[in-house]
Amino acid sequence: MAGMTGRRVVRVLAATVGGAVVAGVVGGGAARLLMSLITIAAAEESTFTLVGTLGVLMVFGVLAVPAALTATAPTVVRVGGRWVTALLTGFGVATTGFSDGAAIILAPDSRMTLIAILVVGFGAVVAAHGQIAQYASRRLAGDATRPAAATTGPEPALA
């Protein structure tokens, strides 16, 4: 880390933790809301607990670390960090979010469109999760981010 002072490293690491927490709260909160809406749309009773919700927020926070850690890196590394976060979050959602698939399959036909829309919403949360982590981390890092000369040029869209 040439050119990185101790204070700057600490600031970037603190921003990484902060960005992961923000992404965990925002992404996890959105995912938990979508979980509840899918359960209700499948004509079942939503019985989510506070402990379960806090667990979801914590897991989403941990899954945001790769993106948050790469927030101040060069563009290629940043995009890679977002992909790692999207893959980890997507795998987690796919393996646990639809564990009660029978309830979705047995839902009334009239609700399938709504369920499909909510499932697409999960995809949007997964795609945005890393972007949120990086945005929050860069904002929290302030002037500890990349030098001004390296910030010129457009950043690619969410990959």
Side-chain angles (χ1 to χ4, degrees):
M1 283 193 219
M4 294 278 287
T5 64
R7 176 176 275 169
R8 188 172 178 192
V9 169
V10 169
R11 196 170 190 183
V12 168
L13 290 176
T16 296
V17 171
V21 168
V22 168
V25 170
V26 173
R32 193 61 165 176
L33 176 64
L34 288 167
M35 287 178 208
S36 183
L37 292 173
I38 287 173
T39 301
I40 293 167
E44 302 222 352
E45 185 178 326
S46 179
T47 57
F48 290 107
T49 63
L50 178 60
V51 173
T53 299
L54 293 175
V56 169
L57 298 179
M58 185 176 69
V59 167
F60 267 73
V62 170
L63 292 174
V65 169
L69 190 59
T70 59
T72 60
T75 303
V76 171
V77 176
R78 268 197 320 272
V79 171
R82 284 196 303 263
W83 270 106
V84 168
T85 293
L87 290 173
L88 291 173
T89 305
F91 180 76
V93 166
T95 57
T96 61
F98 301 109
S99 61
D100 194 14
I104 294 173
I105 292 171
L106 297 174
D109 288 339
S110 62
R111 296 183 178 201
M112 288 309 225
T113 301
L114 176 59
I115 292 171
I117 290 168
L118 294 170
V119 169
V120 169
F122 259 106
V125 169
V126 167
H129 188 217
Q131 187 73 28
I132 293 165
Q134 288 185 342
Y135 176 79
S137 292
R138 282 194 305 270
R139 295 287 299 205
L140 292 169
D143 63 358
T145 59
R146 296 167 282 139
T151 62
T152 58
E155 181 182 46
L158 180 61

